[in-house]
Amino acid sequence: MTDQLQKKTKVWSGRFSEPISEKVQEYTASIGFDKKLALFDIQGSKAHAEMLEKVGILSNEELNKILDGLNRIAQEIKENKFNWKIELEDVHLNIEARLTELIGEPGEKIHTARSRNDQVATDMRLWLRSEIDIIAGLIQSLEKSILSQAEQHSNSLMAGLTHLQTAQPITFGHHMMAYHDMFARDYDRLLELRKRVNCLPLGSAALAGTGFKIDREFVAKKLGFEKVIDNSLDAVSDRDFVLEFLNFSAILMIHISRLSEEIIMWASDNFGYIDIPDEFCTGSSIMPQKKNPDVAELARGKTGRAIGNLINILVLMKGQPLAYNKDNQEDKEPIFDSVKTIKDTLDIFSAMLRSIKVNKANLKKPFDRSYTTATDLADYLVAKQTTFREAHEIVSKIVTFAEKKNILLQDIPLKTFEEFSEKIEEDVFEILDCEGSIKSRSHVGGTSPDQVLNAIKTAKLKWQACLKH
Amino acid sequence: MTDQLQKKTKVWSGRFSEPISEKVQEYTASIGFDKKLALFDIQGSKAHAEMLEKVGILSNEELNKILDGLNRIAQEIKENKFNWKIELEDVHLNIEARLTELIGEPGEKIHTARSRNDQVATDMRLWLRSEIDIIAGLIQSLEKSILSQAEQHSNSLMAGLTHLQTAQPITFGHHMMAYHDMFARDYDRLLELRKRVNCLPLGSAALAGTGFKIDREFVAKKLGFEKVIDNSLDAVSDRDFVLEFLNFSAILMIHISRLSEEIIMWASDNFGYIDIPDEFCTGSSIMPQKKNPDVAELARGKTGRAIGNLINILVLMKGQPLAYNKDNQEDKEPIFDSVKTIKDTLDIFSAMLRSIKVNKANLKKPFDRSYTTATDLADYLVAKQTTFREAHEIVSKIVTFAEKKNILLQDIPLKTFEEFSEKIEEDVFEILDCEGSIKSRSHVGGTSPDQVLNAIKTAKLKWQACLKH
Amino acid sequence: MTDQLQKKTKVWSGRFSEPISEKVQEYTASIGFDKKLALFDIQGSKAHAEMLEKVGILSNEELNKILDGLNRIAQEIKENKFNWKIELEDVHLNIEARLTELIGEPGEKIHTARSRNDQVATDMRLWLRSEIDIIAGLIQSLEKSILSQAEQHSNSLMAGLTHLQTAQPITFGHHMMAYHDMFARDYDRLLELRKRVNCLPLGSAALAGTGFKIDREFVAKKLGFEKVIDNSLDAVSDRDFVLEFLNFSAILMIHISRLSEEIIMWASDNFGYIDIPDEFCTGSSIMPQKKNPDVAELARGKTGRAIGNLINILVLMKGQPLAYNKDNQEDKEPIFDSVKTIKDTLDIFSAMLRSIKVNKANLKKPFDRSYTTATDLADYLVAKQTTFREAHEIVSKIVTFAEKKNILLQDIPLKTFEEFSEKIEEDVFEILDCEGSIKSRSHVGGTSPDQVLNAIKTAKLKWQACLKH
Amino acid sequence: MTDQLQKKTKVWSGRFSEPISEKVQEYTASIGFDKKLALFDIQGSKAHAEMLEKVGILSNEELNKILDGLNRIAQEIKENKFNWKIELEDVHLNIEARLTELIGEPGEKIHTARSRNDQVATDMRLWLRSEIDIIAGLIQSLEKSILSQAEQHSNSLMAGLTHLQTAQPITFGHHMMAYHDMFARDYDRLLELRKRVNCLPLGSAALAGTGFKIDREFVAKKLGFEKVIDNSLDAVSDRDFVLEFLNFSAILMIHISRLSEEIIMWASDNFGYIDIPDEFCTGSSIMPQKKNPDVAELARGKTGRAIGNLINILVLMKGQPLAYNKDNQEDKEPIFDSVKTIKDTLDIFSAMLRSIKVNKANLKKPFDRSYTTATDLADYLVAKQTTFREAHEIVSKIVTFAEKKNILLQDIPLKTFEEFSEKIEEDVFEILDCEGSIKSRSHVGGTSPDQVLNAIKTAKLKWQACLKH
């Protein structure tokens, strides 16, 4: 048995007659991934130690040694000099063992009145809170990129699609703002779930609390937690906060997947709506002419990852009896992966979106072969006292006629129009024009350029307000 | 072609040369399930019509006819006399056709300035808001059942488990309160997502808004919506609110599955912790002695449904380009199913939980063969100036000794204790007692009866406050 | 208590002091959905009764009465005259009760040596086997539609895409055959899993088998099962066959979703590759000019359903202890739904695909603005003793040049070519031609028309061979 | 630009005006994970080169240099000396660049007639085939551990449970054999899907095949593939084989989760059925008396991972148009993770299961407080000419009586029995005995010890036969 293993034995296996097998050690150890939590573990331990001193369990001298030791360990970790040992299972025991190595006896007191069950829950919440704040910032950056495109193209006519069929004229800016609003909802959800992340489990010990006279409010305050978790069993076994975050991630990635789908389509030869700068594309090892929108494709693919991670933890939690079970160790890798995925994706989309060049001429191509103002024509008839259903029918016939003749609506002579409805007059040609069509949609939420500019203005104010806080 | 089909033709297929095939009609029609939205569709249409009158598109007389007609249709639906027709595809066209049948020309005007795209989004949000309010009430009921058990058993000793191994003494009331807190989080999440459900899509028409001078704020106010959705493309294509609700449902059902798992285990012969009244059990067609906890088993199984429905819609939305695509018609059945699942489950759990009889003697059985106060013994040593790690090691040896002798900790003579540590004195026997152990855990969140009673009191105040609003 | 309820009481609740509550009855009853299994339940009961007679548990007279009664019940069900009762919980007890009502005492003997646990597993397997055979036929139909398109277009040039960017020339027939091969794999998987569905659970009774001297091989033979399930605990609790089928369905629907995605894109104005007959499209309630590819969109959306159902059952089975648990009642609705989904989808795709009109001119449009034979040019240089990497680099430069000049490769004068590489000679223009490019790819699996025709021929032979069996 | 980057530029970015940004490089590079495929990439390249020589594209001398160079690279990789470069994106370009560095010009020819699209598909299939063979062996090992327990306990009485309620007597060996049969199905599925993995994509190049006169059958034979993939588009874009494997993994882990659930429950104090050796358990950092079944808990938790990975790829593939898209790069990490998960889990379960000690006395505990032979009593009455339903009812009453008196069935005096049915005679006490009950279930699949031994014998023959092949 190695020295380290003996040290570990001291930690929990005093009554074990056989040492753990190497295979089991590898299967059960979490140090390979939970070392990512190390600095948060130290942060938590420092607050815990200060509380222990405050309530008289540690002397002031002991506390100072502990804080000192923990600071040194933090330094070692930052400098990549810390020697992680798989025999010590996890980040908690690794740090505790090193602490005792560094400062002796006081190190053996740090685990008083706590358990790894409440400790790891605390680490996870501190880590996630910190990542949430980074992600919030990244969403803001992405929103700014979107707003910059929307602003440039608040007036750029585009064929709006439903069912991927040409539907009605819109502007590219209006289209962009739909994505702005999706990510704005993601942002709101993130801030809401942050409250439920930002709660203190420490003090729950293994599952029942502890007999020491601890001061949980003090620890919560030290660590910036808004709330002490009310029930000790719940505190050590709850992973709702992980699920909530993973759901946020899944919805965010759904939004990214929709945007990616459009970027890929827009960049294809048949659309030709946009040009993505070379730096965001890659080439082919065999076809010299290729330029592929890899970033958008990968991001679309990574949606699977975000959803898979969510399901992973839902399955993990299903049917688990109280309180802590080892199953929960499996909560880490999926959330680490989802956090990395959305951080990387938001960051790169923010840069890519800003740099995309829009080909305004191509945005309008579908107008040349479709009847996007047919609804406007129907509405024109309604304004002239036709019922909407009758108007719809008349216009259907006009469209059929135009299709057969292979002409556009604006190319139909007034005389022909009159045969379909005598209510149609010279002024019809104004509303058959796409520019006129978008301008007319000037209510809240409509596609008219002034409404789009309004929406952009409101959005900018929102993000400025966020920054101030 | 039937009469009905001709009517439908009038609605949208004026330019279609071939009638839709019957197979396609069945594949694409949604009337089989979306008729569940009928009363909300009517509610939305009434507000829309009032707005059309307000802005001068309908006359007052037309409006009155429309309101009258819609009221009559609502009556027909409630009395199960409405004749739903598959040829009319969906709930919207069925109601519109009937309206025109009843009141003539004004019926043909109701669809002015709207599309089925914004209409169905409105219906879904009205429906879901209404279900959310019912579910909120059902969660409150369940919480009351839990509180009633917790109150009865705030003092009932129970072997607390981690890893399903006997860990430390807790109380049954404390255990119940862990579930209370899970469902309380569900409740909070539900209220938060309600805000994002409670927004108005109407006025977005197909995707771009409309050229009519509509008043969306008026409609929002009429329908009790808190907010007009800002972007028309987003309004018709967004299904975040469905995803958010399905995620809420999945987490709620995870909680139910954990509680069910425990109920099933507790009711088994080896545990014998609880007795479930006959009315919540079923028997066997072959084994006359059986009494099965079917409700809890089914509920645990239904977790799969809630998670499956969530995945369904995540997959549905993945990679969808803007704006509305027919894929979205598939959003209804899963959310209908999840709503029904959680309503039924909450309702029956509320009744079942209240009626469960706890066998207090059996709750304590594991104490007879385990060492649940070993941590208390270690803490005792810490209080006497042993470091926690040293104390842990000493107690490990004592437990090993007790196991070999096949005795419990409290049966070890003081003399023997002294051989392990001279710090152990006569007063050790107080802390080896389970009652003493739980009482000592009297900080916020701890398992001591007074803390549990405090938590119950706070919870009751929360629910009373909710009722007032 | 109603009469029916009393009858039910007789079945299993002889020792229950309280009747089941109505709420519980509704929550736990499966009759709402498992009546779909009725005819298979009867088929199983008939074989079971014949076995009971063979081994002497029933007299010949009793058997005849039972067979007679069951046949009458089957008739009632087919004629929709059977009176299903929720108080009788499920399809099994409903039929048994009716049998006893019809024939008296022998009816009370039918449940000898069996349990609902092995009975329902038998019903599910009989039902699923029958659906599998229908689905196998539907896949064959779809394959024929694909083959018919492939045959018509074995020679129709099309811009092959990777990353949705124009890559190399292919034929539409070759593209179609990729889908043929996907569905052919689905077919193979279906036949393989059928073997594991086609096994007999009956005789396992509740979980342990029965003390009666039954003959399981006889029952298996009667019901056409290939195998008796070896272990009684496994027989009643296994749902692998459901999972395997749901996985088959999920992969099949993934294939459908990919094809749908392409159909939708191909039918869009920017592509214009295909025209879908009106009968497979629907229109818009607001935009008179619209013709939407609803069938393909819905099918793409239904992929979510197939995946959701798979996850549902995976979650259901996770962590279930042996043997039968009530959770398993939840296995039915998802598989019923997936079976319906894929049957309907295969059927309608089979018809739609056959009728799609391909616009050959548009298939080639991307050639006018891209460099699809760049790889051929590189390969040409390789044939003239350039290394592939050098060739790739030379061609990259040529493409850059052409892009700048805004000309296609075939429009570059030979003299200019020679400046890039002196190995380029007059014959280069042959290989820059798309027709030449596809013809050259004439190895197995390549896109040349003769290879596509070969593949079609082989496929036809496969399906003919299937039909013979 | 670094030297490496310039080299890369040579590979595909000859026409790119801007270098790829570092952020994009990191986001799109796969070398961090696909280097796991390196030796399979080399294996594939060697076969490809041999084919190129056979058809005259490479000289014999060039081939020898290439083979030599590839062998040296393989050696470098095995010795961990290969210098992986992120600028070279992936495993393919890293190895090709190193090859050219080592052997010069011939290295630039290796990519002739292939693309990374068909190359990576080939690598994945070679790698997966090799892992499948390892996994097949691990399943066999696990099966042997199960058989060894089943053999030791073919006669060990155990209370069989349904709904976790005591149902009927079975043996522990019979229970074990249920798991044997589940894993045997997994094995069969694995061998079936192996056929569909074991197919050659190489020769499909980017998507359309190649104009070189390649010999795909030769390559397939060299690499041990059973079949050349028929369609080049399908070959580069298909990931069915990944999905099939992930589904196999998910079902396997479901079986593991069920077994784990039971192991955890059996090891709990309330059950006390088994003792898990210390080497497979871990202790608590706070509770000195704890011994936790961590391995089984972690394995149960890892089920989430297996299911999450499956969903990940299902979502990834949903709606992807043909042919290759960059999304597919995301297929690797999930399948790498699932392969590792099931290999580690099978391995450790194989060892753990073999070493578990069964406490025979506790297996029977539930008999002391339940009525497990009630079905036998009903069957006894049936044998004496009572109908099953009548018998079931009589026994229900007897059980109710016994419960009230708090006695077991075998303790009811004959006289009392006679009051319930005069058909009950002295011989009833034989069948009320659990030993008699299991012995009577001696048909195929029943729980009688002789049947269990038969099943074990058959299973052993199966695995011996597998080994021979």
Side-chain angles (χ1 to χ4, degrees), chain D residues 173-402:
Chain D
H174 190 53
H175 196 110
M176 278 291 109
M177 286 307 287
Y179 284 102
H180 173 275
D181 289 4
M182 293 183 215
F183 293 116
R185 278 194 300 277
D186 290 320
Y187 185 88
D188 292 348
R189 268 188 289 268
L190 184 65
L191 291 207
E192 282 178 13
L193 75 90
R194 188 186 189 281
K195 290 178 313 192
R196 278 183 291 271
V197 170
N198 200 23
C199 305
L200 179 78
L202 216 59
S204 303
L207 77 158
T210 173
F212 293 102
K213 300 294 161 221
I214 58 175
D215 184 343
R216 298 181 69 200
E217 292 294 349
F218 175 87
V219 179
K221 212 175 151 190
K222 274 275 159 196
L223 294 173
F225 281 127
E226 292 166 50
K227 193 177 168 314
V228 164
I229 297 179
D230 283 335
N231 183 288
S232 59
L233 290 164
D234 184 42
V236 296
S237 64
D238 166 46
R239 291 299 183 270
D240 283 11
F241 70 100
V242 174
L243 286 172
E244 249 194 284
F245 180 84
L246 291 177
N247 184 57
F248 153 82
S249 311
I251 300 183
L252 174 77
M253 288 303 292
I254 289 289
H255 296 156
I256 289 281
S257 80
R258 303 183 72 178
L259 180 51
S260 295
E261 174 90 3
E262 301 211 279
I263 287 173
I264 295 163
M265 228 159 43
W266 293 344
S268 75
D269 286 314
N270 278 315
F271 275 78
Y273 284 13
I274 58 168
D275 189 63
I276 308 171
D278 283 6
E279 52 168 334
F280 295 101
C281 294
T282 60
S284 159
S285 68
I286 174 171
M287 296 169 288
Q289 87 285 6
K290 287 294 294 292
K291 193 177 112 176
N292 299 323
D294 283 32
V295 166
E297 289 172 272
L298 267 178
R300 185 176 60 183
K302 282 176 194 291
T303 313
R305 203 179 265 261
I307 296 176
N309 289 336
L310 170 60
I311 293 312
N312 184 338
I313 304 301
L314 284 166
V315 172
L316 182 79
M317 296 309 294
K318 184 242 171 178
Q320 259 198 53
L322 296 185
Y324 184 83
N325 302 294
K326 187 75 166 181
D327 315 49
N328 283 358
Q329 177 171 305
E330 287 281 313
D331 69 343
K332 283 169 207 66
E333 285 167 288
I335 193 168
F336 290 171
D337 185 67
S338 281
V339 160
K340 179 173 169 36
T341 299
I342 62 176
K343 274 167 48 183
D344 291 352
T345 303
L346 286 169
D347 191 27
I348 207 163
F349 262 65
S350 188
M352 181 174 69
L353 260 191
R354 192 180 293 272
S355 70
I356 281 173
K357 303 275 169 290
V358 177
N359 183 325
K360 286 184 177 195
N362 283 349
L363 288 182
K364 292 188 285 188
K365 266 191 317 179
F367 293 148
D368 301 342
R369 38 180 189 272
S370 57
Y371 304 91
T372 46
T373 53
T375 311
D376 298 82
L377 178 53
D379 290 350
Y380 169 91
L381 286 166
V382 167
K384 301 215 171 179
Q385 305 306 323
T386 315
T387 67
F388 182 72
R389 277 295 158 236
E390 201 189 326
H392 189 284
E393 204 186 346
I394 292 168
V395 178
S396 295
K397 286 175 185 157
I398 295 174
V399 167
T400 308
F401 167 83

Side-chain angles (χ1 to χ4, degrees), chain B residues 162-168 261 264-265 267-271 273 284-294 297 311 315-318 327 365-366 369-372 374-375 378 388-389 392 395-396 399, chain D residues 162-168 261 264-265 267-271 273 284-294 297 311 315-318 327 365-366 369-372 374-375 378 388-389 392 395-396 399:
Chain B
T162 59
H163 310 261
L164 222 71
Q165 294 287 313
T166 312
Q168 295 179 353
E261 174 90 2
I264 294 163
M265 231 160 39
S268 74
D269 285 314
N270 278 316
F271 275 77
Y273 284 12
S284 158
S285 68
I286 174 172
M287 297 170 289
Q289 88 285 7
K290 289 294 294 292
K291 194 177 111 174
N292 299 325
D294 284 31
E297 290 172 272
I311 293 313
V315 172
L316 182 79
M317 295 310 294
K318 184 241 170 179
D327 316 49
K365 267 192 316 180
R369 39 182 187 274
S370 56
Y371 303 92
T372 46
T375 311
F388 182 72
R389 278 294 158 237
H392 190 284
V395 178
S396 295
V399 167
Chain D
T162 58
H163 310 261
L164 222 71
Q165 294 289 311
T166 312
Q168 295 179 354
E261 174 90 3
I264 295 163
M265 228 159 43
S268 75
D269 286 314
N270 278 315
F271 275 78
Y273 284 13
S284 159
S285 68
I286 174 171
M287 296 169 288
Q289 87 285 6
K290 287 294 294 292
K291 193 177 112 176
N292 299 323
D294 283 32
E297 289 172 272
I311 293 312
V315 172
L316 182 79
M317 296 309 294
K318 184 242 171 178
D327 315 49
K365 266 191 317 179
R369 38 180 189 272
S370 57
Y371 304 91
T372 46
T375 311
F388 182 72
R389 277 295 158 236
H392 189 284
V395 178
S396 295
V399 167

Side-chain angles (χ1 to χ4, degrees), chain C residues 85-102:
Chain C
K85 292 169 185 161
I86 193 176
E87 315 90 80
L88 289 165
E89 279 186 46
D90 56 30
V91 65
H92 323 297
L93 296 185
N94 266 277
I95 289 176
E96 185 183 329
R98 176 69 180 140
L99 182 65
T100 304
E101 200 172 85
L102 284 172

Side-chain angles (χ1 to χ4, degrees), chain A residues 206-207 231-239 317 319-325 328, chain B residues 158-165 167 170 172 174-180 182 185 255 257-259 261-262 265-266 271, chain D residues 300:
Chain A
L207 77 158
N231 182 289
S232 58
L233 290 164
D234 184 42
V236 296
S237 64
D238 167 45
R239 291 298 182 270
M317 296 309 295
Q320 261 198 53
L322 298 184
Y324 185 83
N325 301 294
N328 283 358
Chain B
M158 175 180 182
L161 310 179
T162 59
H163 310 261
L164 222 71
Q165 294 287 313
I170 57 169
F172 189 77
H174 189 54
H175 196 112
M176 278 292 108
M177 286 308 286
Y179 284 103
H180 173 274
M182 294 183 214
R185 278 194 298 277
H255 297 156
S257 80
R258 303 183 73 178
L259 179 52
E261 174 90 2
E262 300 211 278
M265 231 160 39
W266 293 343
F271 275 77
Chain D
R300 185 176 60 183

Side-chain angles (χ1 to χ4, degrees), chain A residues 202-215:
Chain A
L202 215 58
S204 303
L207 77 158
T210 172
F212 293 102
K213 300 293 162 223
I214 58 175
D215 183 344

